[in-house]
PDB file of all heavy atoms in Angstrom:
ATOM      1  N   GLN X  36      25.587  54.281  52.566  1.00 98.00           N
ATOM      2  CA  GLN X  36      26.209  53.099  53.183  1.00 98.00           C
ATOM      3  C   GLN X  36      25.565  51.787  52.736  1.00 98.00           C
ATOM      4  O   GLN X  36      24.432  51.775  52.271  1.00 98.00           O
ATOM      5  CB  GLN X  36      26.178  53.206  54.700  1.00 98.00           C
ATOM      6  CG  GLN X  36      27.137  54.220  55.257  1.00 98.00           C
ATOM      7  CD  GLN X  36      27.282  54.122  56.766  1.00 98.00           C
ATOM      8  OE1 GLN X  36      26.323  53.844  57.486  1.00 98.00           O
ATOM      9  NE2 GLN X  36      28.475  54.389  57.282  1.00 98.00           N
ATOM     10  N   GLY X  46      10.163  43.391  58.349  1.00 95.00           N
ATOM     11  CA  GLY X  46      10.787  44.466  57.571  1.00 95.00           C
ATOM     12  C   GLY X  46      10.689  45.848  58.193  1.00 95.00           C
ATOM     13  O   GLY X  46      10.951  46.865  57.526  1.00 95.00           O
ATOM     14  N   GLN X  70      14.029  28.612  57.960  1.00 88.00           N
ATOM     15  CA  GLN X  70      12.689  28.954  58.435  1.00 88.00           C
ATOM     16  C   GLN X  70      11.678  29.031  57.286  1.00 88.00           C
ATOM     17  O   GLN X  70      10.507  29.283  57.502  1.00 88.00           O
ATOM     18  CB  GLN X  70      12.688  30.275  59.214  1.00 88.00           C
ATOM     19  CG  GLN X  70      13.449  30.173  60.520  1.00 88.00           C
ATOM     20  CD  GLN X  70      12.931  31.160  61.503  1.00 88.00           C
ATOM     21  OE1 GLN X  70      12.752  32.335  61.167  1.00 88.00           O
ATOM     22  NE2 GLN X  70      12.656  30.726  62.706  1.00 88.00           N
ATOM     23  N   LYS X  76       9.324  36.773  53.795  1.00 94.00           N
ATOM     24  CA  LYS X  76       8.132  37.500  53.338  1.00 94.00           C
ATOM     25  C   LYS X  76       8.245  39.010  53.547  1.00 94.00           C
ATOM     26  O   LYS X  76       8.002  39.809  52.625  1.00 94.00           O
ATOM     27  CB  LYS X  76       6.887  36.943  54.049  1.00 94.00           C
ATOM     28  CG  LYS X  76       5.606  37.525  53.545  1.00 94.00           C
ATOM     29  CD  LYS X  76       4.414  36.865  54.199  1.00 94.00           C
ATOM     30  CE  LYS X  76       3.100  37.433  53.679  1.00 94.00           C
ATOM     31  NZ  LYS X  76       1.932  36.847  54.312  1.00 94.00           N
ATOM     32  N   TYR X 121      16.569  28.200  64.145  1.00 88.00           N
ATOM     33  CA  TYR X 121      17.390  29.095  63.355  1.00 88.00           C
ATOM     34  C   TYR X 121      18.653  28.407  62.829  1.00 88.00           C
ATOM     35  O   TYR X 121      19.512  29.043  62.266  1.00 88.00           O
ATOM     36  CB  TYR X 121      17.779  30.314  64.181  1.00 88.00           C
ATOM     37  CG  TYR X 121      16.763  31.430  64.146  1.00 88.00           C
ATOM     38  CD1 TYR X 121      15.468  31.247  64.644  1.00 88.00           C
ATOM     39  CD2 TYR X 121      17.081  32.667  63.606  1.00 88.00           C
ATOM     40  CE1 TYR X 121      14.535  32.265  64.597  1.00 88.00           C
ATOM     41  CE2 TYR X 121      16.144  33.693  63.567  1.00 88.00           C
ATOM     42  CZ  TYR X 121      14.871  33.491  64.067  1.00 88.00           C
ATOM     43  OH  TYR X 121      13.955  34.507  64.024  1.00 88.00           O
ATOM     44  N   ASP X 147      18.996  43.496  71.835  1.00 98.00           N
ATOM     45  CA  ASP X 147      18.368  42.232  72.262  1.00 98.00           C
ATOM     46  C   ASP X 147      17.812  42.375  73.663  1.00 98.00           C
ATOM     47  O   ASP X 147      17.958  43.402  74.311  1.00 98.00           O
ATOM     48  CB  ASP X 147      19.318  41.050  72.144  1.00 98.00           C
ATOM     49  CG  ASP X 147      18.633  39.793  71.617  1.00 98.00           C
ATOM     50  OD1 ASP X 147      17.474  39.521  72.060  1.00 98.00           O
ATOM     51  OD2 ASP X 147      19.221  39.089  70.805  1.00 98.00           O
ATOM     52  N   GLU X 166      21.783  37.015  77.927  1.00 97.00           N
ATOM     53  CA  GLU X 166      22.479  37.911  78.818  1.00 97.00           C
ATOM     54  C   GLU X 166      23.446  38.825  78.065  1.00 97.00           C
ATOM     55  O   GLU X 166      24.241  38.364  77.233  1.00 97.00           O
ATOM     56  CB  GLU X 166      23.216  37.114  79.890  1.00 97.00           C
ATOM     57  CG  GLU X 166      23.698  37.948  81.030  1.00 97.00           C
ATOM     58  CD  GLU X 166      24.215  37.123  82.201  1.00 97.00           C
ATOM     59  OE1 GLU X 166      24.217  35.875  82.117  1.00 97.00           O
ATOM     60  OE2 GLU X 166      24.618  37.743  83.218  1.00 97.00           O
ATOM     61  N   PRO X 191      13.828  49.485  83.596  1.00 96.00           N
ATOM     62  CA  PRO X 191      14.138  48.915  84.903  1.00 96.00           C
ATOM     63  C   PRO X 191      12.972  48.191  85.568  1.00 96.00           C
ATOM     64  O   PRO X 191      13.173  47.437  86.530  1.00 96.00           O
ATOM     65  CB  PRO X 191      14.600  50.113  85.732  1.00 96.00           C
ATOM     66  CG  PRO X 191      14.060  51.314  85.022  1.00 96.00           C
ATOM     67  CD  PRO X 191      13.936  50.957  83.583  1.00 96.00           C
ATOM     68  N   LEU X 197       9.936  37.050  82.696  1.00 97.00           N
ATOM     69  CA  LEU X 197       8.820  36.716  81.838  1.00 97.00           C
ATOM     70  C   LEU X 197       9.255  36.546  80.385  1.00 97.00           C
ATOM     71  O   LEU X 197      10.227  37.165  79.934  1.00 97.00           O
ATOM     72  CB  LEU X 197       7.729  37.797  81.900  1.00 97.00           C
ATOM     73  CG  LEU X 197       7.085  38.056  83.255  1.00 97.00           C
ATOM     74  CD1 LEU X 197       6.160  39.264  83.174  1.00 97.00           C
ATOM     75  CD2 LEU X 197       6.331  36.819  83.715  1.00 97.00           C
ATOM     76  N   ARG X 205       5.007  42.802  77.034  1.00 94.00           N
ATOM     77  CA  ARG X 205       5.264  42.946  75.596  1.00 94.00           C
ATOM     78  C   ARG X 205       5.283  44.416  75.190  1.00 94.00           C
ATOM     79  O   ARG X 205       4.418  45.195  75.557  1.00 94.00           O
ATOM     80  CB  ARG X 205       4.181  42.196  74.794  1.00 94.00           C
ATOM     81  CG  ARG X 205       4.540  42.168  73.312  1.00 94.00           C
ATOM     82  CD  ARG X 205       3.744  41.170  72.553  1.00 94.00           C
ATOM     83  NE  ARG X 205       4.309  41.041  71.219  1.00 94.00           N
ATOM     84  CZ  ARG X 205       4.041  40.060  70.393  1.00 94.00           C
ATOM     85  NH1 ARG X 205       3.243  39.089  70.772  1.00 94.00           N
ATOM     86  NH2 ARG X 205       4.589  40.027  69.197  1.00 94.00           N
ATOM     87  N   ASP X 209      12.885  44.990  78.753  1.00 98.00           N
ATOM     88  CA  ASP X 209      14.202  45.634  78.922  1.00 98.00           C
ATOM     89  C   ASP X 209      15.149  45.132  77.842  1.00 98.00           C
ATOM     90  O   ASP X 209      15.383  43.928  77.724  1.00 98.00           O
ATOM     91  CB  ASP X 209      14.744  45.277  80.326  1.00 98.00           C
ATOM     92  CG  ASP X 209      16.040  45.970  80.636  1.00 98.00           C
ATOM     93  OD1 ASP X 209      16.306  47.038  80.048  1.00 98.00           O
ATOM     94  OD2 ASP X 209      16.777  45.458  81.509  1.00 98.00           O
TER      95      ASP X 209
END
Side-chain angles (χ1 to χ4, degrees):
Q36 287 190 324
Q70 292 206 313
K76 186 175 181 182
Y121 273 63
D147 219 319
E166 193 169 1
L197 298 174
R205 188 165 190 164
D209 184 25

